[in-house]
Amino acid sequence: MMNKKSIPYGKQWIDQDDIQSVIEVLKSDYLTTGPKIQEFEQKFADYVGSKYAVAIANGTAALHASCYAAGIDKEYEVITTPITFAASANCILYCGGTPVFADIDSKTYNIDPNAIKKNITSKTKAIIPVHYTGQPCNIDEIHKIAQKNNLIVIEDGSHALGASYKGKMIGSISDMTTFSFHPVKHITTGEGGMITTNNKRVYERLLLFRTHGITRNMDLLENKDEGLWYYEQLDLGYNYRITDIQCVLGISQLNKIDRFLARRKEIVRKYNEAFKHLEEIETPYQDESGNSSWHLYVIKLNLDNLKIGRKEVFNALREKGIGVNVHYIPIYYFPYYQKLRYKKGLCPKAEDLYEKIITLPLYPKMSNEDVEYVIESVYEVVKKYKV
Ligand SMILES: *Cc1c(COP(=O)(O)O)cnc(C)c1O
């Protein structure tokens, strides 16, 4: 082989105009707590169609703040999926609550509403569905369950910026929706996150949590006559602020979201077309109620048609310089969760899926040449080891 390829599974796309916008903020008066925060929040809220948006340090902080605003504490259980990044469950633990893992739907790989129902107890307070790979969950069913049982819904929309469910944008639907701007996500601010909501009281709680629990908002102060210097700490919050440097990058990136999404879809079409008749792998099933934003492209191996296992296929692709990955290891497999006494066998469908999946590279800046190379490599590996 000539030049050894190195194709990551995901990556940002930064142009000269992104860089220029950051330089301008660096030359301005405000590096943080300045005007770019609200500008980014407003543009983001307009894009997803929510009343409010709160920009925050990262996607994990967005989940933590949401659990706080939902009132999660040690009295409560919160239901989520095991097939997600650890942060979707860690945020419950941060607030003292108990994560409860509900199994997935074996077609969409998203949390299964029937499994949610089975896990509801008198302590259940909220549900955190995750739109895995960008494909929206069955939100109507989840809302029905939530309404019936008086539960709060926090969508983890880290994969789903630009996705929609029955014509409604993700971010506009539930009590809260969180987003991440890590470089592998749809748009990036380096580190960064956002929470959207339509509820003013929730919005105020999120703002409070982002800045130490401190407020200057006259409506919220207990003593209103102290003086202009006066502020109050009303609760225990954190410093989860995001900088103007990051927010201006977010604004610049958000301007390009349509192009980013279209390119992701185009690559997915190429993969789907190429793998359509390959018996050794299953391409991602898409339910017609949702329109995915395609954060990840995950193939499922038909191990019955292969002489080798997932690990060998994975290693063979890595050998070829393809930055394949596995999304995700069921959260409760981790030693930390095992110590909390979550038992293996809890979610059989999630565990079965985990044995068979591989994430292929997918990001808007990926060249057609690289897409072709990934396709050829997958063909080569599975054909070599087909039964
Ligand atoms: C990326 C991600 C997060 C965390 O976001 P950070 O910005 O990295 O903190 C949470 N949940 C899911 C599903 C993610 O993919």
Side-chain angles (χ1 to χ4, degrees), residues 284-328:
Y285 167 85
Q286 295 297 296
D287 190 274
E288 60 190 18
S289 61
N291 187 6
S292 179
S293 54
W294 290 107
H295 166 52
L296 300 173
Y297 190 87
V298 174
I299 57 169
K300 186 164 124 189
L301 301 178
N302 286 331
L303 293 175
D304 292 344
N305 295 341
L306 286 162
K307 281 187 212 136
I308 54 175
R310 190 261 309 270
K311 190 192 253 177
E312 290 74 23
V313 175
F314 186 96
N315 289 344
L317 292 169
R318 276 280 175 97
E319 269 309 297
K320 290 176 177 295
I322 299 171
V324 285
N325 221 304
V326 172
H327 295 94
Y328 290 94

Side-chain angles (χ1 to χ4, degrees), residues 57-63 83-88 130-132 156-159 178-182 184-185 190-193 295-296 327-328:
N58 53 65
T60 305
L63 284 163
I83 298 293
T84 180
F85 183 58
S88 312
V130 180
H131 306 302
Y132 175 74
D156 182 342
S158 300
H159 296 188
T178 68
F179 296 91
S180 162
F181 309 128
H182 180 279
V184 298
K185 305 286 164 65
E191 297 283 355
H295 166 52
L296 300 173
H327 295 94
Y328 290 94

Side-chain angles (χ1 to χ4, degrees), residues 62 64 79 118 131 153 155 189 204 242-243 269 284 303 306 317 342 345 350:
H64 186 187
I79 300 173
K118 279 187 207 140
H131 306 302
V153 178
E155 296 173 40
T189 59
E204 282 170 353
I242 186 168
T243 63
R269 269 199 298 275
L303 293 175
L306 286 162
L317 292 169
Y342 290 88

